[in-house]
């Protein structure tokens, strides 16, 4: 039942936003009694916090498949293998609610930080001679992380989908 409630909330928050979604609508959409939502989540904010904490994370312990001299291929492989666990709906929720909910903003910051860290490490492995140019690698990693996190929102806004391989190639060419 808890999972159904969270599934419903995820879809509704992504579509209409947190503020526009009453818990009664979540209960109806989840096909559960309204009181059951309150049993699991005493306040509506508890639903949002549970979604953010449980459905957005980056799995640990994954090796980076880097090839020295091939930063574009390394970033492309990272994008495909990146164990970012946040559905497109959750990414929309993160960006939409980060301005008004501190816990969401903090989680988005942690996700971004971890993506940047992994991209920077991948680039350092792919471009061993560029280690002295830490500022450029940091900017390249930050750009790559931003694209990975924001691509779903861009698609929702414009209908344009970014090719992670093309982004990887563009970023790599800026470094060599």
């Amino acid at each position: 039942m808890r999972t159904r409630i969270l599934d419903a909330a995820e879809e509704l928050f992504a579509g209409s936003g947190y503020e526009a979604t009453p818990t009664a609508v979540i209960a109806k959409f989840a096909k559960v009694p309204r009181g059951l939502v309150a049993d699991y989540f005493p306040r509506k904010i508890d639903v949002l916090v549970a979604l953010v904490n449980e459905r957005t994370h980056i799995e640990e312990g994954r090796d980076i498949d880097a090839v020295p001299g091939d930063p574009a291929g390394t970033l492309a492989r990272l994008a495909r293998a990146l164990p970012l666990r946040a559905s497109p709906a959750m990414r929309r929720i993160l960006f939409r609610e980060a301005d008004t909910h501190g816990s969401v903003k903090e989680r988005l910051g942690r996700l971004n930080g971890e993506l940047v860290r992994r991209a920077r490490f991948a680039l350092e492995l792919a471009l061993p001679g560029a280690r002295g140019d830490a500022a450029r690698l940091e900017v390249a990693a930050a750009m790559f992380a931003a694209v990975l996190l924001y691509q779903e929102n861009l698609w929702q806004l414009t209908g344009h989908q970014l090719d992670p391989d093309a982004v990887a190639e563009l970023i790599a060419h800026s470094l060599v």
Side-chain angles (χ1 to χ4, degrees):
M1 292 293 177
R2 185 178 188 278
T3 300
R4 282 185 19 202
I5 294 167
L6 289 175
D7 290 346
E10 181 176 344
E11 189 170 335
L12 292 165
F13 290 170
S16 303
Y18 170 82
E19 293 299 331
T21 306
T23 54
V25 172
I26 295 170
K28 183 176 181 179
F29 198 79
K31 298 180 178 146
V32 300
R34 189 173 174 181
L36 190 59
V37 174
D39 287 346
Y40 285 110
F41 308 101
R43 302 169 302 148
K44 185 169 81 166
I45 190 66
D46 297 330
V47 178
L48 180 63
V49 169
L51 275 174
V52 168
N53 288 339
E54 295 173 21
R55 298 193 175 186
T56 61
H57 67 279
I58 299 174
E59 291 177 2
E60 307 246 347
R62 301 291 296 268
D63 291 330
I64 293 175
D65 183 16
V67 175
D70 185 14
T74 296
L75 286 177
R77 282 188 295 283
L78 178 64
R80 283 191 296 277
L82 192 69
L84 172 62
R85 300 293 173 242
S87 69
M90 281 306 305
R91 291 183 210 180
R92 284 193 303 278
I93 292 167
L94 285 170
F95 279 94
R96 176 185 284 145
E97 306 302 334
D99 287 339
T100 54
H101 297 90
S103 62
V104 177
K105 181 178 181 177
E106 188 269 331
R107 179 57 133 208
L108 183 58
R110 283 194 323 226
L111 284 171
N112 183 68
E114 182 60 19
L115 288 172
V116 169
R117 186 190 70 73
R118 289 185 189 202
R120 185 180 56 242
F121 183 62
L123 287 169
E124 288 172 351
L125 293 173
L127 296 167
R131 288 184 190 264
D133 199 0
R136 288 182 71 217
L137 290 179
E138 184 71 22
V139 168
M143 292 288 295
F144 191 68
V147 169
L148 291 180
L149 278 176
Y150 196 69
Q151 66 185 342
E152 178 62 26
N153 284 16
L154 180 66
W155 181 80
Q156 287 289 321
L157 293 171
T158 67
H160 181 73
Q161 197 158 16
L162 295 175
D163 175 9
D165 291 349
V167 172
E169 189 173 320
L170 180 67
I171 290 171
H173 284 304
S174 74
L175 292 171
V176 291

